[in-house]
Amino acid sequence: MISENSPHDTPPPSPGETPQPPLHDAPAALRKKKAVRRLIMIAVLVVIVGGALWYFQRSFSLPLQRIAAFENSVGTSVNNQLQQNFSAPSPLQQFAKAAPKKANTLTDAGVIAQTNLQRAKNGSLPPLTENATLDDIATLRIDDMFAGQYFAHVNSSTGESAITVASSVGYSYIALGENLALGSYAGDAGVLNAWMGSPGHRENILDTHYTQIGVAVREGVFRGATTWIAVQVFGRPSSACAAPEANLKTTIDLSEDQITAMATQLQSDKATINAMSPPSGPSYNAQVEDYNNLAAQYNNLTAETQTAIGEYDVEVNTFNSCLSE
């Protein structure tokens, strides 16, 4: 039995009449129209989002620079080189039979003159300049040796040495050396000849690092006998090497701290901008502009600091090269 709603009950079209689509095709057409509208809406949304992303990327084209590590040390400082750059060969003593009294006389000026004569004869080395502070150091060394009745580069009781005396009188140096002689020598030339015959003493006399000299000689009683002590103190003052500019390093340190703080702020601002939705509008644009202004300051300060670091590194290298000359 066929029900009333069966499609078989639909009468056939009359001759010449256009066939009508079945009633069940209407929902399909509606769905098709809706799908087309959805596609149009998606395309519009893609265009809007793509434009926003393009603007965002254009606004954020900020190559944040990073500062390379710089040489903030001067290598081994002058103060740390005091022990390393102190040359003190074993003290020279002579116990030979004394020459006539007049021949034994030693003089400060004569010892300096004979020292420079030896430098001229052995390699045409430049003469050493007498320095009053080095003269004082040599005198204080003789005073201490006669007072303590010892003959050595270091007073074992007090620790006094040419190094400690140089520090106490304010002689800042790159290199320091000391030659000692005790005994009766054939005058200024005699004591220089004796020193030149000892490898360590000869090395001090002919050392090209030294530019200054101080001398003290004295006849006195040493352990019950009258004898001479002669002291040569060689030096190269710290002023011979221009130290890196301290103010420049301070400026670099302050700039690095400022750059670090700015980088932290930029990261925070960028996170804020990334979280803004939608990525457009007056507030968004203002935030991006602030970010870009700070980034420009960051990059400018970074470039300036890099230049300062280069200058400081040149000064450090120059100083270290001078120390090793």
Side-chain angles (χ1 to χ4, degrees), residues 215-235:
V215 169
V217 297
R218 183 183 304 168
E219 185 180 39
V221 177
F222 183 80
R223 298 180 182 176
T226 299
T227 189
W228 285 84
I229 292 180
V231 178
Q232 287 178 311
V233 179
F234 306 91

Side-chain angles (χ1 to χ4, degrees), residues 93 108 135 163 170:
Q93 300 185 51
D108 297 346
D135 285 338
I163 291 175

Side-chain angles (χ1 to χ4, degrees), residues 113-323:
Q114 289 294 323
T115 299
N116 284 330
L117 180 60
Q118 291 293 341
R119 288 174 65 87
K121 288 169 57 178
N122 294 271
S124 299
L125 303 178
L128 301 174
T129 302
E130 183 177 8
N131 178 269
T133 304
L134 291 180
D135 285 338
D136 292 341
I137 295 172
T139 299
L140 290 170
R141 294 288 295 123
I142 274 190
D143 291 344
D144 193 58
M145 282 186 276
F146 272 121
Q149 290 293 288
Y150 75 94
F151 182 63
H153 290 290
V154 180
N155 186 333
S156 59
S157 299
T158 64
E160 180 172 309
S161 68
I163 291 175
T164 61
V165 176
S167 177
S168 68
V169 300
Y171 184 80
S172 177
Y173 62 87
I174 295 169
L176 192 71
E178 181 183 67
N179 280 353
L180 303 179
L182 180 149
S184 296
Y185 298 89
D188 301 327
V191 73
L192 255 296
N193 288 333
W195 272 328
M196 290 294 289
S198 167
H201 298 88
R202 177 188 178 90
E203 183 177 346
N204 270 348
I205 292 169
L206 303 181
D207 196 327
T208 58
H209 290 87
Y210 299 130
T211 59
Q212 298 177 337
I213 188 173
V215 169
V217 297
R218 183 183 304 168
E219 185 180 39
V221 177
F222 183 80
R223 298 180 182 176
T226 299
T227 189
W228 285 84
I229 292 180
V231 178
Q232 287 178 311
V233 179
F234 306 91
R236 186 182 187 196
S238 59
S239 59
C241 294
E245 186 180 348
N247 290 339
L248 181 58
K249 183 180 184 304
T250 300
T251 299
I252 292 172
D253 290 339
L254 293 175
S255 295
E256 283 199 313
D257 292 341
Q258 187 176 356
I259 288 169
T260 299
M262 293 172 72
T264 301
Q265 184 62 49
L266 285 169
Q267 291 176 355
S268 175
D269 291 350
K270 188 173 182 180
T272 299
I273 293 172
N274 288 338
M276 295 180 72
S277 181
S280 61
S283 296
Y284 176 86
N285 293 340
Q287 189 73 31
V288 169
E289 183 177 0
D290 290 344
Y291 177 92
N292 286 339
N293 289 337
L294 182 58
Q297 296 175 29
Y298 174 95
N299 289 334
N300 289 337
L301 182 58
T302 298
E304 293 172 0
T305 304
Q306 290 279 27
T307 300
I309 289 171
E311 295 174 358
Y312 185 77
D313 285 347
V314 169
E315 293 182 3
V316 169
N317 292 332
T318 301
F319 180 77
N320 287 335
S321 296
C322 181
L323 290 181

